[in-house]
Amino acid sequence: KITKAMQMVAASKLRRAQTAAEAARPYATQMDKVLGNIAASVAGSDSAPRLLRGTGATDRHLLLVCTAERGLCGPFNTAIVRLARERAGALMREGKEVRFFCVGRKGYDQLRRLYADKIVEMVDLRAVRTLRFDSAEMIAEKVITRFNNFEFDVCTLFFSRFRSVIAQIPTAQPIIPPVFDSTATDALGGAAHEFEPEAEDILHDLLPRNLAVQIFRALLENSASFYGSQMSAMDNATRNAGDMIRRQTLTYNRTRQAMITKELIEIISGAEAL
């Protein structure tokens, strides 16, 4: 009954979460394309914002791992953490320095078993009932502050992209410095444009916001993926529990029948002995 109730709750929440995730995709994608077009106009310039051109090194990596606050959702959290661990292992074998920034208690609990000394911060969103842009903006500000303090050179965002109820795709997305789509230069029609104010000023204002937008999109994708995975996991648990109950009932009935038969045989044998 518990797993069936959890499945129904997850199904009802999935609709809202899926709608929110799908609604965020066009804005995040188009903003990324427009920024890619503007960034192409200042590529290689020393006046480009530091968030765009990076530090010029790739020795220190920050892995921003976004997972859920709760379990009972199948392999959802484990798949994201596994992808982050694989990336961390590959980087460390290359001699890079790796640090983790965890968003979500489940990812933090798994990562601290192996990388407790490499986790620099954990953001707990259990008190947040409805995901809003403020939460993503807060996380983005923390990441940018660490970047401005020269704590890392490259930041990669890990989350699960929602495809369907039974398919969630663990994803790694570079966010500092950003890697724009190769088709971004066509986002504004492929023609020459003049910007007011200057392209550098626009990027200085929009790059931090784009970082928050990409994190917000990741949180929404995670939310939809979590409920989809939980719905599937609880459906499987309900069916498995039903199968187990049927097997136990059959065993109980057979045992009860055997005991009754034994008692009847003893009564009949006693009556015949008299």
Side-chain angles (χ1 to χ4, degrees), residues 62-75:
L62 180 69
L63 307 186
L64 179 57
V65 184
C66 298
T67 56
E69 301 291 348
R70 298 184 301 278
L72 298 177
C73 55

Side-chain angles (χ1 to χ4, degrees), residues 28-234:
T29 302
Q30 192 64 23
M31 185 173 186
D32 206 45
K33 287 183 177 181
V34 172
L35 279 176
N37 184 280
I38 301 174
S41 66
V42 297
S45 172
D46 293 336
S47 60
R50 190 164 167 269
L51 271 177
L52 176 65
R53 53 188 171 84
T55 62
T58 59
D59 297 326
R60 297 167 300 172
H61 288 254
L62 180 69
L63 307 186
L64 179 57
V65 184
C66 298
T67 56
E69 301 291 348
R70 298 184 301 278
L72 298 177
C73 55
F76 168 74
N77 293 310
T78 305
I80 300 173
V81 172
R82 184 187 300 117
L83 181 63
R85 283 204 313 261
E86 290 173 355
R87 177 67 61 87
L91 290 171
M92 285 189 287
R93 284 192 294 272
E94 295 174 5
K96 310 291 186 181
E97 181 182 341
V98 177
R99 292 289 182 267
F100 291 92
F101 188 121
C102 298
V103 179
R105 185 168 56 90
K106 286 299 178 181
Y108 170 75
D109 289 341
Q110 292 188 38
L111 286 171
R112 70 176 178 176
R113 297 170 191 166
L114 296 175
Y115 304 108
D117 58 329
K118 298 184 182 299
I119 298 176
V120 296
E121 191 162 349
M122 196 276 280
V123 174
D124 192 332
L125 298 177
R126 278 179 292 180
V128 179
R129 298 183 63 86
T130 303
L131 284 173
R132 300 188 183 279
F133 186 70
D134 295 345
S135 299
E137 201 168 30
M138 175 265 294
I139 297 169
E141 287 175 358
K142 290 177 179 290
V143 172
I144 292 173
T145 299
R146 291 185 176 275
F147 180 69
N148 291 335
N149 292 336
F150 299 93
E151 295 184 20
F152 64 89
D153 303 313
V154 179
C155 180
T156 306
L157 174 64
F158 292 85
F159 65 99
S160 183
R161 185 161 54 87
F162 178 81
R163 175 177 286 178
S164 66
V165 174
I166 59 173
Q168 300 86 33
I169 306 170
T171 304
Q173 177 184 348
I175 53 176
I176 298 178
V179 177
F180 297 109
D181 196 324
S182 58
T183 61
T185 53
D186 297 329
L188 299 180
H193 292 82
E194 293 184 2
F195 301 103
E196 179 64 35
E198 294 298 325
E200 290 84 352
D201 297 330
I202 296 175
L203 289 172
H204 186 272
D205 291 336
L206 288 188
L207 281 173
R209 182 173 182 83
N210 181 59
L211 180 63
V213 167
Q214 299 305 324
I215 293 175
F216 185 49
R217 176 192 178 186
L219 293 177
L220 292 176
E221 294 277 354
N222 259 9
S223 178
S225 297
F226 169 77
Y227 288 121
S229 184
Q230 186 178 65
M231 186 174 132
S232 298
M234 291 300 100

